[in-house]
Coordinates of all heavy atoms in Angstrom, one line a residue:
M23 N 53.4 -25.4 9.3 CA 52.9 -25.3 8.1 C 51.2 -25.2 8.3 O 50.7 -26.2 8.9 CB 53.3 -26.2 7.1 CG 52.5 -26.2 5.7 SD 52.9 -24.7 4.7 CE 54.0 -25.4 3.5
I24 N 50.6 -24.3 7.8 CA 49.1 -24.1 7.9 C 48.5 -25.1 6.9 O 48.7 -24.9 5.7 CB 48.6 -22.7 7.6 CG1 49.0 -21.7 8.7 CG2 47.1 -22.8 7.6 CD1 48.6 -20.4 8.6
R25 N 47.8 -26.2 7.3 CA 47.3 -27.1 6.4 C 45.8 -27.0 6.4 O 45.0 -27.2 5.5 CB 47.6 -28.5 6.9 CG 49.0 -28.8 6.7 CD 49.4 -30.2 6.9 NE 50.9 -30.4 7.1 CZ 51.9 -30.3 6.2 NH1 51.5 -30.0 5.0 NH2 53.1 -30.5 6.4
N26 N 45.2 -26.6 7.5 CA 43.8 -26.5 7.6 C 43.3 -25.0 7.0 O 43.9 -24.0 7.6 CB 43.4 -26.5 9.1 CG 41.9 -26.4 9.2 OD1 41.1 -25.8 8.5 ND2 41.5 -27.0 10.4
L27 N 42.5 -25.1 6.0 CA 42.2 -23.6 5.5 C 40.6 -23.3 5.9 O 40.1 -22.4 5.3 CB 42.2 -23.9 3.9 CG 43.6 -24.1 3.4 CD1 43.5 -24.2 1.8 CD2 44.5 -22.9 3.7
D28 N 40.3 -23.7 7.1 CA 38.9 -23.3 7.6 C 38.9 -21.8 7.9 O 37.8 -21.2 7.6 CB 38.5 -24.0 9.0 CG 38.2 -25.6 8.7 OD1 38.3 -26.0 7.5 OD2 38.3 -26.3 9.7
W29 N 40.1 -21.2 8.0 CA 40.0 -19.9 8.3 C 39.5 -18.9 7.2 O 39.1 -17.9 7.2 CB 41.5 -19.3 8.7 CG 42.6 -19.7 7.8 CD1 43.3 -20.8 7.6 CD2 43.0 -18.9 6.6 NE1 44.1 -20.8 6.6 CE2 44.0 -19.7 6.0 CE3 42.7 -17.7 6.0 CZ2 44.6 -19.2 4.8 CZ3 43.3 -17.2 5.0 CH2 44.3 -17.8 4.4
L30 N 39.5 -19.5 5.9 CA 39.2 -18.9 4.7 C 37.7 -18.4 4.9 O 37.2 -17.5 4.2 CB 39.4 -19.8 3.5 CG 40.9 -19.6 2.9 CD1 41.0 -20.6 2.0 CD2 41.1 -18.3 2.5
Q31 N 37.0 -19.2 5.6 CA 35.5 -19.0 5.9 C 35.3 -17.6 6.5 O 34.1 -17.1 6.3 CB 34.8 -20.1 6.6 CG 34.8 -21.5 5.8 CD 34.4 -22.7 6.5 OE1 33.9 -22.6 7.7 NE2 34.6 -23.9 6.0
Q32 N 36.3 -17.2 7.3 CA 36.1 -15.9 7.9 C 36.7 -14.7 7.1 O 36.7 -13.6 7.8 CB 36.7 -15.9 9.3 CG 36.1 -17.1 10.2 CD 36.9 -17.2 11.5 OE1 37.2 -16.3 12.2 NE2 37.4 -18.5 11.6
A33 N 37.2 -15.1 5.9 CA 38.0 -14.0 5.2 C 36.9 -12.8 4.9 O 35.9 -13.1 4.3 CB 38.5 -14.6 4.1
A34 N 37.4 -11.7 5.0 CA 36.7 -10.4 4.7 C 36.6 -10.5 3.2 O 35.6 -9.6 2.6 CB 37.5 -9.3 5.1
C35 N 37.4 -11.1 2.4 CA 37.3 -11.1 1.0 C 36.5 -12.2 0.4 O 36.4 -12.3 -0.9 CB 38.8 -11.1 0.3 SG 39.7 -12.7 0.8
A36 N 36.0 -12.9 1.2 CA 35.1 -14.1 0.8 C 34.0 -13.6 0.0 O 33.3 -12.6 0.4 CB 34.6 -14.9 1.9
G37 N 33.7 -14.1 -1.2 CA 32.7 -13.7 -2.1 C 33.1 -12.4 -2.9 O 32.3 -12.0 -3.9
L38 N 34.2 -11.7 -2.7 CA 34.6 -10.6 -3.5 C 35.3 -11.2 -4.8 O 35.9 -12.3 -4.7 CB 35.6 -9.7 -2.8 CG 35.0 -9.1 -1.5 CD1 36.1 -8.2 -0.8 CD2 33.7 -8.2 -1.8
D39 N 35.5 -10.3 -5.8 CA 36.1 -10.7 -7.1 C 37.7 -10.6 -6.6 O 38.2 -9.7 -6.3 CB 35.9 -9.7 -8.1 CG 36.6 -10.1 -9.3 OD1 37.4 -11.0 -9.4 OD2 36.1 -9.5 -10.4
H40 N 38.4 -11.8 -6.7 CA 39.8 -11.9 -6.2 C 40.6 -11.2 -7.1 O 41.8 -11.0 -6.7 CB 40.1 -13.4 -6.0 CG 39.5 -13.9 -4.8 ND1 39.1 -15.2 -4.6 CD2 39.2 -13.3 -3.5 CE1 38.7 -15.4 -3.3 NE2 38.7 -14.3 -2.7
R41 N 40.2 -10.9 -8.3 CA 41.1 -10.0 -9.1 C 41.5 -8.6 -8.6 O 42.4 -8.1 -8.8 CB 40.4 -9.8 -10.6 CG 40.3 -11.1 -11.4 CD 39.6 -10.9 -12.7 NE 38.2 -10.7 -12.4 CZ 37.3 -10.7 -13.3 NH1 37.6 -10.7 -14.5 NH2 35.9 -10.5 -12.9
A42 N 40.5 -8.4 -7.6 CA 40.8 -7.0 -6.9 C 42.1 -7.1 -6.1 O 42.6 -6.1 -5.7 CB 39.7 -6.7 -6.0
F43 N 42.6 -8.3 -5.8 CA 43.7 -8.4 -4.9 C 45.0 -8.8 -5.8 O 46.1 -8.9 -5.2 CB 43.5 -9.7 -3.9 CG 42.5 -9.2 -2.9 CD1 41.2 -9.3 -3.3 CD2 42.8 -8.8 -1.7 CE1 40.1 -8.9 -2.4 CE2 41.9 -8.5 -0.8 CZ 40.6 -8.6 -0.9
F44 N 44.8 -8.7 -7.1 CA 46.0 -9.0 -7.8 C 46.0 -7.9 -9.0 O 45.6 -7.9 -10.1 CB 45.7 -10.3 -8.7 CG 45.9 -11.4 -7.8 CD1 44.7 -12.0 -7.2 CD2 47.1 -12.1 -7.4 CE1 44.8 -13.0 -6.3 CE2 47.2 -13.1 -6.5 CZ 45.9 -13.6 -5.9
A45 N 46.6 -6.7 -8.6 CA 46.7 -5.5 -9.4 C 47.5 -5.7 -10.5 O 48.7 -6.3 -10.6 CB 47.3 -4.3 -8.5
T46 N 47.1 -5.3 -11.8 CA 47.7 -5.5 -13.0 C 47.7 -4.3 -13.9 O 48.4 -4.2 -14.8 CB 47.0 -6.7 -13.9 OG1 45.7 -6.4 -13.9 CG2 47.2 -8.1 -13.2
S47 N 46.9 -3.3 -13.5 CA 46.8 -2.2 -14.4 C 47.7 -1.0 -14.0 O 48.4 -1.1 -13.2 CB 45.2 -1.6 -14.4 OG 45.1 -1.0 -13.2
R48 N 47.5 0.0 -14.8 CA 48.4 1.2 -14.5 C 47.8 1.9 -13.3 O 48.6 2.8 -12.8 CB 48.3 2.1 -15.7 CG 47.1 2.7 -16.1 CD 47.2 3.4 -17.5 NE 45.9 3.7 -17.9 CZ 45.4 5.0 -17.9 NH1 46.1 6.0 -17.4 NH2 44.2 5.0 -18.4
H49 N 46.8 1.4 -12.8 CA 46.2 1.9 -11.4 C 46.5 1.1 -10.4 O 45.8 0.8 -9.3 CB 44.7 2.1 -11.6 CG 44.3 3.0 -12.8 ND1 44.6 4.4 -12.7 CD2 43.6 2.7 -13.9 CE1 44.1 5.0 -13.8 NE2 43.4 3.9 -14.5
A50 N 47.6 0.3 -10.4 CA 48.0 -0.8 -9.5 C 48.0 -0.2 -8.0 O 47.4 -0.8 -7.2 CB 49.3 -1.4 -9.8
R51 N 48.6 0.9 -7.8 CA 48.7 1.4 -6.5 C 47.4 1.7 -5.9 O 47.1 1.1 -4.7 CB 49.5 2.8 -6.5 CG 49.6 3.5 -5.2 CD 50.3 2.8 -4.1 NE 51.7 2.5 -4.5 CZ 52.4 1.6 -3.8 NH1 52.0 1.0 -2.8 NH2 53.7 1.6 -4.1
A52 N 46.4 2.3 -6.6 CA 45.1 2.4 -6.1 C 44.3 1.0 -5.8 O 43.7 0.8 -4.9 CB 44.2 3.2 -7.0
Q53 N 44.6 0.1 -6.7 CA 44.1 -1.4 -6.4 C 44.6 -1.9 -5.3 O 43.9 -2.5 -4.5 CB 44.5 -2.1 -7.7 CG 43.5 -1.9 -9.0 CD 43.9 -2.9 -10.1 OE1 44.8 -2.7 -10.7 NE2 43.2 -3.9 -10.2
V54 N 45.9 -1.8 -5.0 CA 46.6 -2.5 -3.9 C 45.9 -1.8 -2.6 O 45.7 -2.5 -1.6 CB 48.2 -2.2 -3.9 CG1 48.7 -2.7 -2.6 CG2 48.7 -3.2 -5.1
N55 N 45.9 -0.5 -2.7 CA 45.4 0.2 -1.4 C 43.9 -0.2 -1.2 O 43.5 -0.3 0.0 CB 45.5 1.7 -1.6 CG 46.9 2.2 -1.5 OD1 47.7 1.5 -0.9 ND2 47.2 3.4 -2.1
A56 N 43.1 -0.3 -2.2 CA 41.7 -0.8 -1.9 C 41.7 -2.1 -1.5 O 40.9 -2.5 -0.6 CB 40.9 -0.8 -3.4
A57 N 42.6 -3.1 -1.8 CA 42.6 -4.4 -1.4 C 43.0 -4.4 0.1 O 42.4 -5.2 0.9 CB 43.5 -5.3 -2.2
R58 N 44.1 -3.5 0.4 CA 44.5 -3.5 1.7 C 43.5 -3.0 2.7 O 43.4 -3.4 3.9 CB 45.8 -2.7 1.9 CG 46.9 -3.4 1.1 CD 48.0 -2.4 0.9 NE 48.6 -2.2 2.3 CZ 49.8 -1.7 2.4 NH1 50.6 -1.4 1.6 NH2 50.3 -1.5 3.7
R59 N 42.7 -2.2 2.3 CA 41.5 -1.7 3.2 C 40.6 -2.8 3.5 O 40.1 -2.8 4.5 CB 40.7 -0.6 2.4 CG 41.4 0.9 2.5 CD 40.6 2.0 2.1 NE 40.1 2.0 0.7 CZ 41.0 2.4 -0.2 NH1 42.0 3.0 0.0 NH2 40.5 2.4 -1.5
V60 N 40.3 -3.7 2.6 CA 39.5 -4.8 2.9 C 40.2 -5.7 3.8 O 39.7 -6.2 5.0 CB 39.2 -5.8 1.6 CG1 38.6 -7.1 1.9 CG2 38.4 -5.0 0.6
C61 N 41.5 -6.0 3.6 CA 42.3 -6.7 4.6 C 42.4 -6.2 6.0 O 42.4 -6.9 7.0 CB 43.8 -7.0 4.1 SG 43.9 -7.9 2.5
A62 N 42.3 -4.8 6.1 CA 42.4 -4.2 7.4 C 41.3 -4.7 8.4 O 41.6 -4.7 9.5 CB 42.4 -2.7 7.2
A63 N 40.1 -5.0 7.8 CA 39.1 -5.3 8.6 C 39.0 -6.9 8.7 O 38.0 -7.4 9.2 CB 37.7 -4.8 8.0
C64 N 40.0 -7.6 8.2 CA 39.9 -9.1 8.2 C 40.4 -9.8 9.4 O 41.5 -9.5 9.9 CB 40.7 -9.6 6.9 SG 40.5 -11.4 6.7
P65 N 39.6 -10.5 9.9 CA 39.8 -11.2 11.3 C 41.0 -12.3 11.0 O 41.4 -12.9 12.1 CB 38.6 -11.9 11.8 CG 37.7 -12.1 10.5 CD 38.1 -11.0 9.5
V66 N 41.2 -12.8 9.8 CA 42.2 -13.7 9.6 C 43.4 -13.4 8.9 O 44.0 -14.2 8.2 CB 41.5 -15.1 8.9 CG1 40.4 -15.8 9.9 CG2 41.0 -14.6 7.5
R67 N 43.8 -12.1 9.1 CA 44.9 -11.4 8.4 C 46.2 -12.3 8.6 O 46.9 -12.5 7.6 CB 45.0 -10.1 8.7 CG 45.7 -9.2 7.7 CD 45.5 -7.7 8.0 NE 45.8 -7.3 9.3 CZ 45.2 -6.7 10.2 NH1 43.8 -6.2 9.8 NH2 45.5 -6.4 11.4
E68 N 46.4 -12.6 9.9 CA 47.6 -13.2 10.3 C 47.7 -14.5 9.4 O 48.9 -15.1 9.0 CB 47.8 -13.3 11.7 CG 49.3 -13.6 12.2 CD 50.2 -12.7 11.4 OE1 50.1 -11.4 11.5 OE2 51.3 -13.2 11.1
Q69 N 46.7 -15.3 9.6 CA 46.7 -16.8 9.0 C 47.0 -16.6 7.4 O 47.6 -17.4 6.8 CB 45.4 -17.5 9.1 CG 45.1 -17.9 10.6 CD 44.4 -16.9 11.5 OE1 44.5 -15.6 11.3 NE2 43.4 -17.4 12.2
C70 N 46.2 -15.6 6.9 CA 46.5 -15.4 5.4 C 48.0 -15.0 5.1 O 48.5 -15.7 4.2 CB 45.6 -14.2 5.0 SG 45.6 -13.7 3.3
A71 N 48.4 -14.1 5.9 CA 49.9 -13.8 5.5 C 50.8 -14.9 5.8 O 51.7 -15.2 5.0 CB 50.3 -12.6 6.5
T72 N 50.6 -15.8 6.8 CA 51.4 -16.8 7.2 C 51.3 -17.9 6.0 O 52.3 -18.5 5.5 CB 51.1 -17.6 8.5 OG1 51.1 -16.6 9.5 CG2 51.9 -18.8 8.8
W73 N 50.1 -18.3 5.6 CA 49.9 -19.1 4.5 C 50.5 -18.7 3.3 O 51.2 -19.5 2.5 CB 48.4 -19.2 4.2 CG 48.0 -20.3 3.3 CD1 47.8 -21.7 3.5 CD2 47.9 -20.1 1.9 NE1 47.6 -22.4 2.4 CE2 47.6 -21.5 1.3 CE3 47.9 -19.1 0.9 CZ2 47.3 -21.7 0.0 CZ3 47.7 -19.4 -0.4 CH2 47.4 -20.6 -0.7
A74 N 50.4 -17.4 2.8 CA 51.1 -16.8 1.7 C 52.6 -17.0 1.7 O 53.1 -17.4 0.8 CB 50.8 -15.4 1.4
I75 N 53.2 -16.8 2.9 CA 54.6 -16.9 3.0 C 55.1 -18.4 2.9 O 56.0 -18.8 2.2 CB 55.0 -16.3 4.4 CG1 55.0 -14.8 4.3 CG2 56.6 -16.7 4.8 CD1 55.0 -14.1 5.7
Q76 N 54.2 -19.1 3.6 CA 54.6 -20.6 3.7 C 54.5 -21.2 2.3 O 55.1 -22.4 2.0 CB 53.8 -21.4 4.7 CG 54.3 -20.9 6.2 CD 53.6 -21.6 7.1 OE1 52.5 -22.2 7.1 NE2 54.1 -21.7 8.4
T77 N 53.5 -20.8 1.5 CA 53.2 -21.5 0.2 C 54.0 -20.8 -0.9 O 53.9 -21.2 -2.1 CB 51.8 -21.5 -0.1 OG1 51.3 -20.2 -0.2 CG2 51.0 -22.4 0.9
G78 N 54.7 -19.7 -0.5 CA 55.5 -19.0 -1.6 C 54.7 -18.1 -2.6 O 55.1 -18.0 -3.8
E79 N 53.6 -17.6 -2.1 CA 52.8 -16.6 -3.1 C 53.7 -15.4 -3.6 O 54.2 -14.8 -2.5 CB 51.5 -16.3 -2.3 CG 50.5 -17.3 -2.3 CD 49.9 -17.6 -3.7 OE1 50.1 -16.8 -4.6 OE2 49.1 -18.6 -3.6
R80 N 53.6 -15.1 -4.6 CA 54.6 -14.1 -5.1 C 53.8 -12.9 -5.6 O 54.3 -11.8 -5.6 CB 55.5 -14.5 -6.2 CG 56.4 -15.5 -5.7 CD 57.6 -15.7 -6.6 NE 58.5 -16.6 -6.1 CZ 59.6 -16.3 -5.3 NH1 59.5 -15.1 -4.8 NH2 60.4 -17.1 -4.8
W81 N 52.4 -13.0 -5.9 CA 51.6 -12.1 -6.5 C 50.5 -11.8 -5.7 O 49.9 -12.7 -5.0 CB 51.3 -12.5 -7.8 CG 52.4 -13.0 -8.8 CD1 52.7 -14.2 -9.1 CD2 53.4 -12.1 -9.3 NE1 53.8 -14.2 -9.8 CE2 54.3 -13.0 -10.0 CE3 53.8 -10.7 -9.2 CZ2 55.5 -12.4 -10.6 CZ3 54.8 -10.3 -9.8 CH2 55.7 -11.1 -10.6
G82 N 50.0 -10.5 -5.6 CA 48.8 -10.2 -5.0 C 49.0 -9.7 -3.5 O 50.1 -9.5 -3.1
V83 N 47.9 -9.2 -3.0 CA 47.8 -8.7 -1.7 C 47.4 -9.9 -0.7 O 46.3 -10.5 -1.1 CB 46.8 -7.5 -1.6 CG1 46.6 -7.0 -0.1 CG2 47.2 -6.4 -2.4
W84 N 48.2 -10.2 0.1 CA 47.9 -11.3 1.1 C 48.1 -10.7 2.6 O 49.1 -10.1 2.8 CB 48.8 -12.5 0.8 CG 48.6 -13.1 -0.4 CD1 49.3 -12.8 -1.6 CD2 47.8 -14.2 -0.7 NE1 48.9 -13.6 -2.5 CE2 47.9 -14.5 -2.1 CE3 46.9 -15.0 -0.1 CZ2 47.2 -15.6 -2.7 CZ3 46.2 -15.9 -0.6 CH2 46.4 -16.2 -2.0
G85 N 47.2 -10.9 3.4 CA 47.3 -10.5 4.8 C 47.5 -9.1 5.0 O 48.2 -8.6 5.8
G86 N 47.0 -8.2 4.0 CA 47.1 -6.8 4.0 C 48.6 -6.3 3.5 O 48.7 -5.1 3.7
M87 N 49.3 -7.3 3.1 CA 50.5 -6.9 2.5 C 50.7 -6.7 1.1 O 50.0 -7.7 0.5 CB 51.7 -7.8 3.0 CG 52.0 -7.7 4.5 SD 53.2 -8.8 5.0 CE 52.3 -10.4 4.9
S88 N 51.4 -5.9 0.5 CA 51.7 -5.7 -0.8 C 52.7 -6.8 -1.3 O 53.3 -7.5 -0.3 CB 52.2 -4.3 -1.2 OG 53.5 -4.1 -0.6
Q89 N 52.9 -6.9 -2.4 CA 53.9 -8.0 -2.9 C 55.4 -7.6 -2.3 O 56.0 -8.6 -1.9 CB 54.0 -7.9 -4.5 CG 52.8 -8.5 -5.2 CD 52.9 -8.3 -6.6 OE1 51.9 -8.5 -7.2 NE2 54.0 -8.0 -7.2
Q90 N 55.6 -6.4 -2.3 CA 57.0 -6.0 -1.7 C 57.0 -6.3 -0.3 O 58.0 -6.8 0.3 CB 57.2 -4.4 -2.0 CG 57.4 -4.2 -3.4 CD 56.0 -3.9 -4.1 OE1 55.0 -3.9 -3.5 NE2 56.1 -3.9 -5.5
E91 N 56.0 -5.9 0.4 CA 56.0 -6.2 1.9 C 56.0 -7.8 2.2 O 56.7 -8.1 3.1 CB 54.7 -5.6 2.5 CG 54.8 -4.0 2.5 CD 53.4 -3.6 2.8 OE1 52.4 -4.1 2.5 OE2 53.4 -2.4 3.5
L92 N 55.3 -8.4 1.4 CA 55.2 -9.8 1.5 C 56.6 -10.5 1.2 O 57.1 -11.4 2.0 CB 54.2 -10.4 0.5 CG 53.9 -11.9 0.7 CD1 53.3 -12.2 2.2 CD2 52.8 -12.4 -0.3
R93 N 57.2 -10.0 0.3 CA 58.6 -10.4 -0.1 C 59.6 -10.2 1.1 O 60.4 -11.0 1.4 CB 59.2 -9.8 -1.3 CG 60.1 -10.6 -2.2 CD 60.4 -9.7 -3.5 NE 59.3 -9.8 -4.2 CZ 58.8 -8.6 -5.0 NH1 59.5 -7.6 -5.0 NH2 57.7 -8.8 -5.8
R94 N 59.5 -9.0 1.7 CA 60.4 -8.6 2.8 C 60.2 -9.5 3.9 O 61.0 -10.1 4.7 CB 60.2 -7.1 3.2 CG 61.0 -6.2 2.4 CD 61.0 -4.9 3.1 NE 59.7 -4.3 3.2 CZ 59.2 -3.5 2.3 NH1 59.8 -3.1 1.1 NH2 57.9 -2.9 2.4
R95 N 58.8 -9.8 4.2 CA 58.5 -10.6 5.4 C 59.0 -12.0 5.1 O 59.4 -12.7 5.9 CB 57.0 -10.7 5.6 CG 56.6 -11.3 6.8 CD 55.3 -10.8 7.5 NE 54.7 -11.7 8.3 CZ 53.5 -11.7 8.8 NH1 52.8 -10.6 8.6 NH2 53.1 -12.6 9.6
R96 N 58.8 -12.6 3.9 CA 59.3 -13.9 3.5 C 60.8 -14.0 3.8 O 61.2 -15.0 4.3 CB 58.9 -14.3 2.1 CG 59.3 -15.6 1.8 CD 58.9 -16.0 0.3 NE 57.5 -16.1 0.1 CZ 56.9 -15.2 -0.6 NH1 57.5 -14.3 -1.4 NH2 55.5 -15.2 -0.8
R97 N 61.6 -13.0 3.4 CA 62.9 -13.1 3.6 C 63.3 -13.1 5.1 O 64.2 -13.9 5.5 CB 63.7 -11.9 3.1 CG 63.9 -12.0 1.6 CD 64.9 -10.8 1.1 NE 64.5 -9.5 1.3 CZ 63.9 -8.8 0.2 NH1 63.8 -9.4 -0.9 NH2 63.4 -7.6 0.3
R98 N 62.5 -12.3 5.9 CA 62.8 -12.4 7.4 C 62.4 -13.9 7.9 O 63.2 -14.4 8.7 CB 62.0 -11.4 8.1 CG 62.5 -10.0 8.1 CD 62.1 -9.1 9.1 NE 60.5 -9.0 9.1 CZ 59.9 -8.2 8.5 NH1 60.3 -7.2 7.7 NH2 58.5 -8.2 8.5
F99 N 61.4 -14.4 7.4 CA 60.8 -15.7 7.8 C 61.9 -16.8 7.4 O 62.3 -17.6 8.2 CB 59.6 -16.0 7.1 CG 59.1 -17.4 7.4 CD1 58.4 -17.7 8.6 CD2 59.2 -18.4 6.3 CE1 57.9 -19.0 8.8 CE2 58.8 -19.7 6.6 CZ 58.2 -20.0 7.8
T100 N 62.4 -16.7 6.1 CA 63.3 -17.7 5.6 C 64.7 -17.5 6.5 O 65.3 -18.5 6.8 CB 63.7 -17.4 4.2 OG1 62.4 -17.4 3.5 CG2 64.6 -18.4 3.6
S101 N 65.1 -16.3 6.8 CA 66.3 -16.1 7.5 C 66.2 -16.6 8.9 O 67.3 -17.3 9.3 CB 66.7 -14.5 7.4 OG 67.6 -14.2 8.4
R102 N 65.1 -16.4 9.5 CA 64.8 -17.0 10.9 C 64.9 -18.5 10.8 O 65.5 -19.2 11.7 CB 63.6 -16.6 11.5 CG 63.7 -15.2 12.2 CD 62.6 -15.1 13.2 NE 61.3 -15.2 12.6 CZ 60.5 -14.2 12.1 NH1 61.0 -12.9 12.2 NH2 59.3 -14.4 11.7
A103 N 64.3 -19.1 9.7 CA 64.1 -20.5 9.8 C 65.6 -21.1 9.5 O 66.0 -22.1 10.2 CB 63.3 -21.0 8.5
K104 N 66.4 -20.5 8.8 CA 67.8 -20.9 8.5 C 68.6 -20.8 9.8 O 69.3 -21.8 10.2 CB 68.5 -20.2 7.5 CG 68.1 -20.5 6.0 CD 68.8 -19.7 5.0 CE 68.4 -19.9 3.6 NZ 68.9 -19.0 2.6
T105 N 68.5 -19.7 10.6 CA 69.1 -19.6 11.9 C 68.7 -20.7 12.8 O 69.6 -21.3 13.4 CB 68.8 -18.1 12.4 OG1 69.2 -17.3 11.4 CG2 69.6 -18.0 13.6
S106 N 67.4 -21.0 12.9 CA 67.0 -21.9 14.0 C 67.4 -23.3 13.5 O 67.7 -24.1 14.4 CB 65.5 -21.8 14.3 OG 64.8 -22.1 13.0
T107 N 67.5 -23.5 12.1 CA 67.9 -24.8 11.7 C 69.4 -25.0 12.1 O 69.9 -26.1 12.5 CB 67.8 -24.9 10.2 OG1 66.4 -24.8 9.8 CG2 68.2 -26.3 9.7
R108 N 70.1 -24.0 11.8 CA 71.6 -24.0 12.2 C 71.8 -24.2 13.7 O 72.7 -25.1 14.2 CB 72.4 -22.8 11.7 CG 72.9 -23.0 10.3 CD 73.8 -21.8 10.0 NE 73.2 -21.1 8.9 CZ 72.8 -19.8 8.7 NH1 73.2 -19.0 9.8 NH2 72.3 -19.3 7.8
A109 N 71.1 -23.5 14.5 CA 71.1 -23.7 15.9 C 70.9 -25.1 16.5 O 71.5 -25.6 17.5 CB 70.2 -22.7 16.6
A110 N 69.9 -25.7 15.7 CA 69.4 -27.0 16.2 C 70.4 -28.2 15.8 O 70.6 -29.3 16.2 CB 68.1 -27.4 15.6
A111 N 71.3 -27.8 14.8 CA 72.2 -28.9 14.3 C 73.4 -28.9 15.2 O 73.7 -28.3 16.1 CB 72.7 -28.4 12.9
Ligands
SF4_215 S1 43.7 -10.8 4.8 FE1 43.0 -9.9 2.9 S2 43.5 -11.3 1.2 FE2 43.8 -12.4 3.3 S3 41.7 -13.5 3.7 FE3 41.7 -11.5 4.7 S4 40.7 -10.1 3.3 FE4 41.5 -11.9 2.1

C-alpha cells in the first residue's frame, strides 16, 4: 500500500484545476482525452495509478487511465491478490 504521497509533488497535474480530471459534461470524452494528455507526460503515472487502485478511486482519470480502464486494472489487481492469498494459505 502506498502511504507516502511525496510523489504528488512531481505530478504533472500539480497546480491544475482538478475538475479537468473528473469529466461530468456531455463533452466527457474530450475532457478525459485532455486529462490523459497531461498524464502522458507525468513522471509519477504508475504511483498515481497504484494509489487509485489501492484506495478504490472510482471516478476521474488517474495514472492516465479512464474510469473504465481503472476498473479493469482494479479487477486484475484484485484477482491477482486473491490468487496469491489462496496460494499462501
Ligand atoms: S498521472 Fe495524471 S492524474 Fe496522476 S498525478 Fe500524474 S498527471 Fe495527475
Side-chain angles (χ1 to χ4, degrees):
M23 175 67 102
I24 293 180
R25 296 187 194 286
N26 184 334
L27 296 179
D28 287 351
W29 54 271
L30 279 173
Q31 294 170 9
Q32 299 171 54
C35 60
L38 298 180
D39 184 347
H40 285 146
R41 286 177 294 189
F43 291 79
F44 295 90
T46 55
S47 74
R48 63 191 170 102
H49 302 294
R51 172 65 59 199
Q53 282 182 281
V54 167
N55 288 338
R58 291 173 66 159
R59 281 193 292 276
V60 174
C61 295
C64 183
V66 292
R67 204 169 48 232
E68 198 51 44
Q69 290 96 321
C70 177
T72 300
W73 187 86
I75 289 166
Q76 291 180 343
T77 59
E79 285 290 349
R80 296 192 176 280
W81 308 107
V83 173
W84 297 87
M87 291 182 285
S88 67
Q89 291 174 195
Q90 294 78 12
E91 291 165 329
L92 189 58
R93 210 172 294 137
R94 279 195 294 273
R95 189 154 159 186
R96 181 178 297 114
R97 276 198 294 266
R98 285 198 305 270
F99 174 81
T100 305
S101 170
R102 269 200 309 265
K104 283 180 184 169
T105 301
S106 59
T107 301
R108 268 189 245 129

